[in-house]
Amino acid sequence: MDDARAAVDEHLDLAARIDPLLTTAVDVAHAVIASYERGGRVYTFGNGGSAADSLHFAEELVARFRRERRPLAAQSLAADPTVLTCIANDFDFDDLFVRQVRAFVGKEDVVIGFTTSGRSSNVVNALAVARELGALTVVFGGGEGMPAAGHADLALVVPSDSTARVQEMHVLLLHIVLDQVDRWAAS
């Protein structure tokens, strides 16, 4: 029971410290909305639990979050096992998302990488390439957020080195972003 209570206390303490990220979350929502208004799309990616968060973000845009509304174009680049395993096998795991970014992303798009450490090389590389292509880049990170945050126009870096707690805050922050986008799309 003590471990469970400690986890909840750590979660609540961290949630109380993410207020500075709320403005950035709203900025991310506005960037996503602006992309959709100019015909863009949203692309997401990450590894492990962060891949699941990238899938979650994309599916909420395509389906819906809280409101009945039109579907919005979004895709997680962590979703297709045939593409992922081919790139990892035939090229390099560090290029896992770079090749997909080069294949799909244009300057009107928003590219969102998830990395709890800020150091996932395939996420860092893909954000750098997306930025080179002129897309708006966003990172959901943790710890110091670097080097990923150095390639992001908007960075939601949770001030913690605990993977579990960072992922919990990422879900909260992505829900804040999605709620704003959902409200716009339903109007």
PDB file of all heavy atoms in Angstrom, residues 34 44 50 64 78 99 110 129 132 160:
ATOM      1  N   ALA A  34      -4.636  25.569 -36.945  1.00  0.00           N
ATOM      2  CA  ALA A  34      -4.140  26.357 -38.086  1.00  0.00           C
ATOM      3  C   ALA A  34      -3.692  25.435 -39.215  1.00  0.00           C
ATOM      4  O   ALA A  34      -3.934  25.726 -40.393  1.00  0.00           O
ATOM      5  CB  ALA A  34      -2.995  27.259 -37.640  1.00  0.00           C
ATOM      6  N   THR A  44       2.204  11.776 -35.821  1.00  0.00           N
ATOM      7  CA  THR A  44       2.710  11.536 -34.476  1.00  0.00           C
ATOM      8  C   THR A  44       3.602  10.296 -34.475  1.00  0.00           C
ATOM      9  O   THR A  44       3.489   9.442 -35.358  1.00  0.00           O
ATOM     10  CB  THR A  44       1.549  11.324 -33.479  1.00  0.00           C
ATOM     11  OG1 THR A  44       0.835  10.133 -33.845  1.00  0.00           O
ATOM     12  CG2 THR A  44       0.593  12.509 -33.468  1.00  0.00           C
ATOM     13  N   SER A  50       5.338   5.639 -25.410  1.00  0.00           N
ATOM     14  CA  SER A  50       5.180   6.877 -26.181  1.00  0.00           C
ATOM     15  C   SER A  50       4.571   6.598 -27.551  1.00  0.00           C
ATOM     16  O   SER A  50       3.857   7.440 -28.098  1.00  0.00           O
ATOM     17  CB  SER A  50       6.526   7.588 -26.330  1.00  0.00           C
ATOM     18  OG  SER A  50       6.990   8.039 -25.078  1.00  0.00           O
ATOM     19  N   ARG A  64     -12.971  10.863 -32.656  1.00  0.00           N
ATOM     20  CA  ARG A  64     -13.447  12.025 -31.910  1.00  0.00           C
ATOM     21  C   ARG A  64     -12.900  11.926 -30.502  1.00  0.00           C
ATOM     22  O   ARG A  64     -12.514  10.862 -30.042  1.00  0.00           O
ATOM     23  CB  ARG A  64     -14.960  12.103 -31.862  1.00  0.00           C
ATOM     24  CG  ARG A  64     -15.596  11.013 -31.022  1.00  0.00           C
ATOM     25  CD  ARG A  64     -17.109  11.144 -31.009  1.00  0.00           C
ATOM     26  NE  ARG A  64     -17.657  10.051 -30.232  1.00  0.00           N
ATOM     27  CZ  ARG A  64     -18.392  10.222 -29.166  1.00  0.00           C
ATOM     28  NH1 ARG A  64     -18.698  11.422 -28.764  1.00  0.00           N
ATOM     29  NH2 ARG A  64     -18.854   9.182 -28.507  1.00  0.00           N
ATOM     30  N   ALA A  78       3.932   5.280 -35.860  1.00  0.00           N
ATOM     31  CA  ALA A  78       4.292   4.087 -35.081  1.00  0.00           C
ATOM     32  C   ALA A  78       3.298   2.955 -35.300  1.00  0.00           C
ATOM     33  O   ALA A  78       3.380   1.919 -34.645  1.00  0.00           O
ATOM     34  CB  ALA A  78       4.358   4.445 -33.596  1.00  0.00           C
ATOM     35  N   ARG A  99      12.334   8.259 -42.355  1.00  0.00           N
ATOM     36  CA  ARG A  99      11.914   7.860 -43.704  1.00  0.00           C
ATOM     37  C   ARG A  99      10.433   8.137 -43.908  1.00  0.00           C
ATOM     38  O   ARG A  99      10.010   8.561 -44.986  1.00  0.00           O
ATOM     39  CB  ARG A  99      12.236   6.394 -43.960  1.00  0.00           C
ATOM     40  CG  ARG A  99      13.733   6.171 -44.134  1.00  0.00           C
ATOM     41  CD  ARG A  99      14.056   4.797 -44.664  1.00  0.00           C
ATOM     42  NE  ARG A  99      13.574   4.555 -46.015  1.00  0.00           N
ATOM     43  CZ  ARG A  99      14.185   4.936 -47.131  1.00  0.00           C
ATOM     44  NH1 ARG A  99      15.307   5.620 -47.070  1.00  0.00           N
ATOM     45  NH2 ARG A  99      13.673   4.647 -48.313  1.00  0.00           N
ATOM     46  N   VAL A 110       1.693  19.380 -39.041  1.00  0.00           N
ATOM     47  CA  VAL A 110       2.222  19.398 -37.677  1.00  0.00           C
ATOM     48  C   VAL A 110       2.758  18.009 -37.387  1.00  0.00           C
ATOM     49  O   VAL A 110       2.080  17.011 -37.622  1.00  0.00           O
ATOM     50  CB  VAL A 110       1.139  19.782 -36.643  1.00  0.00           C
ATOM     51  CG1 VAL A 110       1.674  19.658 -35.223  1.00  0.00           C
ATOM     52  CG2 VAL A 110       0.621  21.195 -36.894  1.00  0.00           C
ATOM     53  N   VAL A 129      14.247  16.484 -39.163  1.00  0.00           N
ATOM     54  CA  VAL A 129      13.910  16.426 -40.591  1.00  0.00           C
ATOM     55  C   VAL A 129      12.583  17.126 -40.863  1.00  0.00           C
ATOM     56  O   VAL A 129      12.450  17.859 -41.847  1.00  0.00           O
ATOM     57  CB  VAL A 129      13.903  14.958 -41.084  1.00  0.00           C
ATOM     58  CG1 VAL A 129      13.263  14.841 -42.457  1.00  0.00           C
ATOM     59  CG2 VAL A 129      15.327  14.408 -41.098  1.00  0.00           C
ATOM     60  N   GLU A 132      13.230  20.724 -41.016  1.00  0.00           N
ATOM     61  CA  GLU A 132      13.895  21.051 -42.284  1.00  0.00           C
ATOM     62  C   GLU A 132      12.891  21.142 -43.429  1.00  0.00           C
ATOM     63  O   GLU A 132      13.044  21.965 -44.336  1.00  0.00           O
ATOM     64  CB  GLU A 132      14.943  19.993 -42.637  1.00  0.00           C
ATOM     65  CG  GLU A 132      16.187  20.019 -41.801  1.00  0.00           C
ATOM     66  CD  GLU A 132      17.078  18.813 -42.078  1.00  0.00           C
ATOM     67  OE1 GLU A 132      16.886  18.131 -43.119  1.00  0.00           O
ATOM     68  OE2 GLU A 132      17.962  18.549 -41.243  1.00  0.00           O
ATOM     69  N   SER A 160      10.252  15.862 -14.973  1.00  0.00           N
ATOM     70  CA  SER A 160      10.431  14.645 -14.183  1.00  0.00           C
ATOM     71  C   SER A 160      11.264  13.657 -14.989  1.00  0.00           C
ATOM     72  O   SER A 160      11.208  13.652 -16.221  1.00  0.00           O
ATOM     73  CB  SER A 160       9.077  14.012 -13.848  1.00  0.00           C
ATOM     74  OG  SER A 160       9.246  12.763 -13.205  1.00  0.00           O
TER      75      SER A 160
END
